[in-house]
Amino acid sequence: PISAGKYARGRLLVLAGSDAYRGAAELCLQGANASGCGSLRAALPAAVAAELWQRHPHVVVSAALPSDADGALQLAALTPACLERLDAVVLGPGLGLGSQPAEAATAGGDGAIWQALQQLPGLLLLDADGLNRLAARPDALPWLQGRRGPTWLTPHRGEFARLFPELAALPALEAARQAAGRSGCSVLLKGARTVVAAVDGRLWQLGCGTPQAARAGLGDVLAGFAAGRGAVAMAATGQADASQLAAAALEHSAAAHTAVHTRGAGQATPGAVAAALQLHTFSGPNSNGSTTNATLAY
């Protein structure tokens, strides 16, 4: 609604980064900023949280978390109270795997926060090491099936194989379709032709890619952006449909194309893609090879 205030325009918590991968938190926040969500909070490694006000003064620090001896973020230090009054959470970019045994995730350790995440009524987007940590749990699939709110999974092929090893050899469209049906989650399987699958069998596939922008960190931007768009949808309708995840993937792909064609292939960095997303004005290829400029309306 046009009269909605900031808290009615999507409340998102970004849970990303670690001492080993501090930049992932920044890139995820850049993507989230571009989504247009009204309220942005973050639970970050302490070193990043201490300087966040200089880069993102509008982001509220919900928690400054320690990292373990391997540089991985310690989720056990996050209190379940940090997950209250949210429309969406993005968990995973740059967390690191950690040295904690898999059994500790279900009995002690960070088990309390995983239990709170399972009961979160809002959208949960799991990416990168969020997926890898979940895959290390012996109850990964039942955990997903028991999620209270909608769940979006955004793996690349390696992360997908860890979470769904029995589906890893299937073609992308079929692998994503079966994973969505088994887990009860919307699945975005990354690749040159990214696939998005809904629980009910609907499928989308991106028709073109931008290989010059395929760089480390691009997925962190996508995770933040898609989660932010999902938070807006949850605030407005109480739902986060797979079609909205597909739309976010399309916008992200179009922004990558714009970054290449406005800055040059060498400057098509994840930060440049995030900047293009903030403008919401993209250039895309026509069927004849020429370029068309388009502004996406929400």
Side-chain angles (χ1 to χ4, degrees):
I2 194 169
S3 62
K6 58 187 177 182
Y7 297 123
R9 295 186 180 276
R11 301 163 297 177
L12 173 65
L13 174 69
V14 171
L15 221 173
S18 61
D19 281 355
Y21 304 105
R22 299 182 186 184
E26 168 66 20
L27 292 173
C28 191
L29 283 168
Q30 286 184 21
N33 280 332
S35 72
C37 66
S39 174
L40 187 53
R41 292 159 51 183
L44 307 169
V48 176
E51 300 178 353
L52 187 67
W53 64 272
Q54 299 179 66
R55 291 282 298 151
H56 303 285
H58 58 291
V59 177
V60 175
V61 177
S62 293
L65 303 176
S67 296
D68 64 18
D70 296 325
L73 200 67
Q74 293 184 313
L75 294 181
L78 182 68
T79 64
C82 291
L83 302 179
E84 297 175 355
R85 297 189 301 277
L86 293 171
D87 295 299
V89 173
V90 52
L91 170 67
L95 293 183
L97 290 176
S99 55
Q100 191 175 352
E103 294 78 7
T106 55
D110 58 11
I113 196 62
W114 281 100
Q115 182 178 6
L117 286 167
Q118 189 182 42
Q119 295 305 310
L120 178 77
L123 169 68
L124 175 63
L125 188 150
L126 290 171
D127 182 61
D129 283 330
L131 293 165
N132 290 330
R133 291 195 187 194
L134 177 62
R137 295 173 58 104
D139 64 341
L141 189 58
W143 189 94
L144 289 171
Q145 293 166 341
R147 268 275 298 140
R148 179 180 174 189
T151 308
W152 290 355
L153 309 179
T154 58
H156 58 53
R157 272 292 192 173
E159 294 155 354
F160 183 90
R162 296 182 193 103
L163 193 55
F164 302 103
E166 70 284 1
L167 305 178
L170 294 175
L173 282 164
E174 184 62 17
R177 185 188 69 79
Q178 289 200 31
R182 293 185 186 190
S183 65
C185 307
S186 299
V187 176
L188 184 154
L189 181 54
K190 299 173 186 174
R193 300 291 184 267
T194 290
V195 173
V196 178
V199 177
D200 60 11
R202 287 173 295 154
L203 289 168
W204 298 262
Q205 188 168 29
L206 295 185
C208 62
T210 307
Q212 302 94 327
R215 302 184 181 190
L218 198 69
D220 301 335
V221 175
L222 173 60
F225 179 74
R229 301 295 292 144
V232 174
M234 288 293 296
T237 68
Q239 299 179 7
D241 187 70
S243 61
Q244 292 154 336
L245 177 58
L250 180 60
E251 293 180 67
H252 182 263
S253 177
H257 182 86
T258 294
V260 169
H261 286 270
T262 59
R263 298 178 181 235
Q267 294 298 314
T269 63
V273 173
L277 282 168
Q278 286 186 316
L279 293 174
H280 297 305
T281 301
F282 308 132
S283 60
N286 291 321
S287 58
N288 61 6
S290 62
T291 296
T292 297
N293 292 325
T295 300
L296 298 185
Y298 301 135

